[in-house]
Amino acid sequence: MKSRIEGKVSITAQGTCLVRAISYYEKDVNYKTNDHIAPIIVPSFLNLLTKYGFYRVLLKKMFLKAPGNCEYLIARTKFIDSIFESIDDSIEQVLIFGAGFDSRAIRFKNKLAKTKIFELDAPITQQIKIDRIRGKNIEIPENLKFISIDFKKESLAKKLDEIGFDKNKKCLFLLEGLTMYLNQESIDNIFNLVNKYSGENSLIVFDYVSASMVRRENTYNDPKIKKHYQVLAKAGEKPSFMIDGYIQDFLAKYNLYVIDELDSARLAKRYFNKDDFDLIAQKFRVVMAKK
Ligand SMILES: C[S@@+](CC[C@H](N)C(=O)[O-])C[C@H]1O[C@@H](n2cnc3c(N)ncnc32)[C@H](O)[C@@H]1O
């Protein structure tokens, strides 16, 4: 059976871009992100609506039904932005897997001027992103290369070999909002490649759904959240992959070592200045690891 992303633009990529567009206009500093490109590359009517507080509340009610998801996406954006802000020249290649409407290659173009950047995504979503950027006369940095791929069906190693990818350079791999939509085989392929196709001290940043938290949350029984998951399932983009147990045990198989892992409580404290375990959806974790 064909998945949605084989025939249409990714619904979750559009959703996360909409959250960043909304958050860009938020007045509350906790809810504000700095993705000034997001409002430009969402469909024009959404660009207009996100400018008004009333419509931002309405859009969040319509599209962000699962409690704590919006806060999670905001905190995740800020965490990953902070990594890009602190990047130094030692990072020679940045690979953004499942890039969707990620705008960091544009937003951090000065910081990344000497870095090779690769964005990998499903072909239709990637093409629509390129068209939207070009359509808005935003310059695509010369050092950004687009690689279209279906991680579940195509060989990532082959795709990188075809473009003469240098396997010995220090890299930053980013998998933001991706692991949960893959399967064990494609996860193994990606994490093995991160180990084999990168120089020493390369970094990987990713987020995942914690199986043990999902078991505890039992949120799928809440009618509103059930509806949300039904919509994603119908669109063929229901989260499927989770990680059980300690993240270091998962990473050790790929010769990777955890530097930092942020759960909902730490994200809430760091980005919303709140000691609140429930503010951010508890099932998500963001990880930075090193080779
Ligand atoms: C939730 S979106 C995240 C997009 C972006 N990283 C962000 O945070 O805004 C998931 C992304 O993963 C991509 N994706 C999901 N499954 C994929 C697959 N099998 N092959 C390639 N890309 C995939 C989708 O096209 C989409 O862009």
Side-chain angles (χ1 to χ4, degrees):
M1 200 181 98
K2 266 194 166 190
S3 63
R4 178 191 163 99
I5 57 164
E6 286 177 79
K8 286 183 181 159
V9 61
S10 162
I11 190 171
T12 57
Q14 297 198 96
T16 47
C17 187
L18 176 60
V19 171
R20 290 193 292 266
I22 290 173
S23 67
Y24 178 69
Y25 289 117
E26 293 288 14
K27 304 280 177 277
D28 179 340
V29 289
N30 292 326
Y31 280 83
K32 180 168 172 50
T33 69
N34 293 325
D35 190 346
H36 66 283
I37 301 293
I40 305 175
I41 57 176
V42 289
S44 303
F45 76 100
L46 286 175
N47 176 3
L48 187 69
L49 294 185
T50 50
K51 287 182 181 149
Y52 302 98
F54 169 79
Y55 288 112
R56 287 199 292 275
V57 174
L58 198 68
L59 287 168
K60 283 199 254 183
K61 272 203 181 129
M62 282 167 70
F63 296 115
L64 290 153
K65 294 200 164 72
N69 265 16
C70 176
E71 285 78 5
Y72 172 66
L73 295 172
I74 289 169
R76 183 179 79 182
T77 300
K78 289 184 178 183
F79 174 64
I80 298 172
D81 277 2
S82 74
I83 293 169
F84 276 72
E85 272 151 19
S86 63
I87 266 182
D88 61 32
D89 285 352
S90 69
I91 300 280
E92 293 169 287
Q93 303 184 121
V94 171
L95 295 95
I96 306 178
F97 289 180
F101 296 91
D102 184 304
S103 64
R104 293 188 181 94
I106 298 166
R107 286 191 288 132
F108 295 96
K109 68 174 183 214
N110 294 337
K111 274 236 151 222
L112 299 171
K114 291 184 190 150
T115 312
K116 281 189 177 169
I117 311 164
F118 304 89
E119 284 195 8
L120 299 93
D121 204 350
I124 292 177
T125 301
Q126 188 168 70
Q127 192 53 53
I128 286 178
K129 182 219 191 129
I130 296 169
D131 292 346
R132 285 205 196 149
I133 292 174
R134 290 211 175 112
K136 298 290 176 177
N137 293 323
I138 301 168
E139 199 181 301
I140 295 178
E142 275 177 20
N143 53 342
L144 168 60
K145 201 169 177 54
F146 294 99
I147 302 171
S148 63
I149 184 168
D150 185 333
F151 294 115
K152 285 187 182 166
K153 297 192 171 165
E154 293 174 282
S155 162
L156 175 57
K158 201 170 154 214
K159 287 267 173 180
L160 293 184
D161 290 345
E162 276 168 9
I163 57 151
F165 181 81
D166 190 331
K167 302 174 192 173
N168 300 310
K169 292 195 166 159
K170 184 172 168 186
C171 300
L172 167 65
F173 296 88
L174 172 61
L175 287 71
E176 183 185 16
L178 177 63
T179 61
M180 48 293 264
Y181 300 105
L182 300 181
N183 53 22
Q184 186 64 54
E185 191 186 349
S186 47
I187 288 282
D188 269 339
N189 286 338
I190 291 179
F191 280 81
N192 274 321
L193 179 128
V194 166
N195 177 25
K196 293 192 184 122
Y197 276 56
S198 67
E200 280 312 302
N201 297 320
S202 286
L203 298 169
I204 176 166
V205 178
F206 66 99
D207 63 331
Y208 71 96
V209 172
S210 157
S212 58
M213 289 317 295
V214 169
R215 279 197 294 270
R216 254 184 278 166
E217 268 184 347
N218 201 21
T219 46
Y220 295 101
N221 293 329
D222 179 310
K224 266 196 198 151
I225 301 174
K226 210 167 168 184
K227 179 82 192 142
H228 172 76
Y229 281 99
Q230 278 166 353
V231 170
L232 287 181
K234 212 169 157 204
E237 287 189 53
K238 191 178 169 208
S240 50
F241 182 81
M242 303 179 210
I243 297 179
D244 217 347
Y246 292 111
I247 196 62
Q248 184 52 58
D249 293 341
F250 167 82
L251 289 170
K253 291 179 275 176
Y254 310 104
N255 200 24
L256 299 167
Y257 300 91
V258 65
I259 298 174
D260 206 359
E261 183 183 24
L262 290 151
D263 62 8
S264 65
R266 285 191 64 204
L267 287 169
K269 182 76 189 157
R270 189 179 290 184
Y271 295 108
F272 291 88
N273 202 18
K274 285 204 172 125
D275 288 309
D276 185 346
F277 197 66
D278 287 326
L279 179 72
I280 290 178
Q282 294 178 12
K283 59 181 166 290
F284 296 114
R285 303 266 163 89
V286 194
V287 179
M288 173 145 84
K290 187 172 166 177
K291 180 173 164 182

